[in-house]
């Protein structure tokens, strides 16, 4: 069964600093991988997804993620954090089924 | 383009009472999902529909939860009787189907059971 593991339930960065949120996947087949963001009291919004092709995926709001098969990772990065990036971030996978399996989430805090 | 619509947004009920949540997916989306998100956790799939048929309901507590998707469009999720541990956000989502297609989420229905 496909699954993802998010390392670090809370990450704190200064405004302008690099954001790195970690996600590792476990899958017996090539996975489809997603990052979603959830702002307080809101639903989930897709940041980016990897299906096939280019392993570096660019998303909205300046985020990107790189699919590394050798490391079974799909870490999310952003070069310069903004206060508005403070939210909960979820890594997810679908595998062969069309249902999303989520990680436990990482709460990103951005400080001045 | 209209997104996934859910109602009500917030609901407070006493344990053993019943509650129902409604979802209207994005037009044309054949696949509809209900997820449960308990505070501090990632969303967990409760049930997946393809048109009006159930694809996966393996994690739906069938003794108290039920869901239907009549005519393959709108869906209703019901809880009866509610327990304290059902306090969560119930997220409806939809997609065209297929593993790589984007799944779009509504804003959620927040349930508090007291």
């Amino acid at each position: 069964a496909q699954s993802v593991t998010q390392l670090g339930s809370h990450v704190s960065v200064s405004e302008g600093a690099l954001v790195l949120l970690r996600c590792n996947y476990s899958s017996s087949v090539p996975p489809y991988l997603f990052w979603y963001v959830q702002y307080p009291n809101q639903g989930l919004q897709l940041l980016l997804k990897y299906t096939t092709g280019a392993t570096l995926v660019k998303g909205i709001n300046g985020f990107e993620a790189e699919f590394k098969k050798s490391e079974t990772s799909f870490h999310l990065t952003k070069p310069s954090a903004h206060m508005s990036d403070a939210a909960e971030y979820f890594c997810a996978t679908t595998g062969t089924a069309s249902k999303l399996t989520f990680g436990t989430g990482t709460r990103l805090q951005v400080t001045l | 383009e209209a997104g996934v619509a859910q109602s009500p947004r917030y609901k407070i009920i006493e344990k053993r009472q019943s509650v129902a949540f409604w979802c209207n997916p994005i037009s044309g989306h054949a696949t509809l999902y209900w997820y449960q998100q308990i505070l501090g956790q990632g969303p967990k799939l409760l049930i997946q529909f393809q048109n009006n048929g159930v694809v996966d309901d393996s994690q739906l507590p069938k003794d108290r939860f039920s869901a239907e998707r009549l005519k393959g469009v709108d869906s209703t999720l019901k809880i009866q009787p509610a327990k304290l541990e059902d306090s969560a956000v119930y997220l409806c989502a939809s997609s065209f189907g297929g593993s790589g297609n984007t799944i779009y989420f509504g804003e959620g229905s927040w349930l508090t059971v007291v």
Side-chain angles (χ1 to χ4, degrees), chain B residues 15-111:
Chain B
K15 59 183 179 184
R16 292 187 289 275
Q17 285 187 326
S18 63
V19 63
F21 301 114
W22 171 84
C23 173
N24 179 242
I26 292 172
S27 178
H29 281 189
T31 305
L32 185 146
Y33 312 80
W34 283 101
Y35 281 82
Q36 179 193 56
Q37 185 179 18
I38 294 172
L39 187 64
Q41 299 182 18
K44 180 186 79 172
L45 180 70
L46 291 176
I47 189 167
Q48 177 184 348
F49 292 94
Q50 180 72 21
N51 296 309
N52 60 351
V54 175
V55 174
D56 185 347
D57 64 356
S58 58
Q59 298 204 75
L60 186 74
K62 298 180 185 64
D63 58 334
R64 297 181 301 105
F65 286 65
S66 64
E68 61 182 8
R69 190 183 184 196
L70 298 176
K71 302 180 182 179
V73 181
D74 294 3
S75 178
T76 302
L77 176 71
K78 296 180 181 178
I79 307 174
Q80 181 179 19
K83 292 185 175 182
L84 296 177
E85 58 261 37
D86 298 332
S87 294
V89 182
Y90 292 87
L91 295 162
C92 181
S94 70
S95 79
F96 284 114
S99 300
N101 281 313
T102 299
I103 298 174
Y104 296 88
F105 285 80
E107 294 197 320
S109 292
W110 298 67
L111 174 66

Side-chain angles (χ1 to χ4, degrees), chain A residues 56-94:
Chain A
L56 181 62
V57 181
K58 295 186 183 297
I60 62 172
N61 301 338
F63 285 94
E64 63 182 35
E66 186 170 10
F67 173 69
K68 291 187 176 181
K69 186 177 180 180
S70 61
E71 299 177 8
T72 61
S73 69
F74 190 58
H75 301 331
L76 182 70
T77 61
K78 181 175 180 178
S80 177
H82 191 271
M83 296 295 289
S84 60
D85 295 327
E88 187 92 19
Y89 292 80
F90 291 95
C91 182
T93 183
T94 54

Side-chain angles (χ1 to χ4, degrees), chain A residues 87-111:
Chain A
E88 187 92 19
Y89 292 80
F90 291 95
C91 182
T93 183
T94 54
T96 56
S98 59
K99 63 179 183 180
L100 282 167
T101 300
F102 287 89
T104 51
T106 298
R107 181 164 299 278
L108 176 65
Q109 181 182 19
V110 183
T111 59

